[in-house]
Amino acid sequence: MTQSSQSREDVEAAFWLSHLRVGFTVFVGEAIAVFVYLRASPNGLNRGLLTVIAVSTACVGALSFFGLGKIARQSWRHRFSLSWCLGAGWILAACVRLDGGLRSPLLYLVLFPVIYAALAFRPAAVVACGISALTEVVTIRATIGVHMVPRDTLFMIAAVVGGMSALAVAASVYRTRLQQSEVALTAELAALADTDGLTGCLNRRAFHTRLEAEIDRAVRHDRPLCLVVADIDDFKSVNDNFGHPIGDEALALVGAALRRELRSSDVAGRLGGDEFGVILADTTLEGAETQARRLGQRLDTDASVVALSIGVAALDPAEPDVQRLTRDADRALYHVKRTGRHGIAATTPSGLPARIAS
């Protein structure tokens, strides 16, 4: 897991931990409120059974706090929270029914799961909680008889539950849209921070971070990996003879040529000045040499004012690290520079660079 993905998981886990803590705190608080209500009205219906339910749920909710940290890091945390929310609603509905039905003051507590759902759940889940709340009211009504509740009271109860559910769904929809916009903006800012503005390739920092990750993946799955480094020949003379704007244009053309020739799994980066790097995942040294030729041919076609010297190296299984791979690729590049430029060389398994194309 990369550092950025780890940080994102930590943030999400912290959010869900806070969300669950708030929910269980309210749940325990509701159970205590029910217990206090029962003590204040000892002559009501089913006081013994309701007291057992209130005390039991308060104890279960309090004990659950010890496991919330672990639950917050699980992939099923959303499903757990939704299931618990729906279950809490039906426990409250049972208490309302035992306390006499829709005339019970406990009826107001049925709305809490819907409000809680609006804080973090997706719109579909909030809809499910709203439908569940309305179903609870209908079920209570069906089990006590219509004659025990005036129609106007029944209508207002349904209107309150339905209206609260609609507001919760609307809040969830707008919150989800806002989160999606924030995620898109964050991704765009992250891409800008990792991208060289002139060439469209990764900048040096992002390139080396990706190279470390690709080396780890290659070692873990026993797959080949190659690094290509390229340098524009006599780039200083391009700036001196044609001006820096033309030099920048040449850099942009090289970056575009590299990106067009790459596969989706490959990565191009600007390492600084006129030097570029390309990570070729799942590629042998022979395949990397072929890809380097294609890159040279593409550049000859797109930017005839400049030429590249290219060095190629394969990851050494005996020393699979960034320093060794970079050193081997640079050694091949410098060999091209010393032997006429505008060509390709590869560092062989023996560690000696050899020119393979001009």
Side-chain angles (χ1 to χ4, degrees), residues 111-281:
L111 294 174
F112 276 89
V114 180
I115 298 173
Y116 174 76
L119 297 177
F121 293 169
R122 302 183 185 93
V126 179
V127 170
C129 290
I131 293 175
S132 179
L134 287 171
T135 305
E136 292 161 12
V137 172
V138 172
T139 301
I140 295 170
R141 170 188 177 276
T143 57
I144 63 175
V146 181
H147 64 280
M148 297 185 64
V149 182
R151 287 186 176 181
D152 55 348
T153 301
L154 183 62
F155 173 79
M156 288 306 301
I157 291 173
V160 169
V161 175
M164 183 64 70
S165 299
L167 288 175
V169 171
S172 178
V173 169
Y174 290 125
R175 174 180 49 77
T176 301
R177 289 178 180 174
L178 179 60
Q179 289 176 337
Q180 291 173 343
S181 298
E182 291 177 346
V183 168
L185 179 59
T186 300
E188 182 179 353
L189 292 175
L192 290 174
D194 290 343
T195 303
D196 175 66
L198 180 61
T199 64
C201 301
L202 292 183
N203 57 34
R204 183 182 183 87
R205 175 191 57 80
F207 183 84
H208 279 281
T209 299
R210 181 64 178 272
L211 181 58
E212 290 177 352
E214 290 296 335
I215 289 176
D216 289 341
R217 189 183 70 85
V219 172
R220 188 167 58 252
H221 298 289
D222 193 24
R223 302 295 299 169
L225 175 72
C226 286
L227 174 64
V228 175
V229 292
D231 187 271
I232 299 178
D233 294 332
D234 292 324
F235 183 67
K236 183 178 183 302
S237 65
V238 174
N239 283 326
D240 292 342
N241 295 330
F242 301 101
H244 287 282
I246 298 300
D248 289 346
E249 184 179 339
L251 290 171
L253 286 172
V254 172
L258 291 176
R259 289 184 286 109
R260 275 199 297 272
E261 286 300 318
L262 297 183
R263 303 165 300 180
S264 60
S265 58
D266 300 333
V267 181
R270 183 183 178 192
L271 305 183
D274 60 332
E275 186 176 352
F276 294 81
V278 178
I279 304 170
L280 300 176

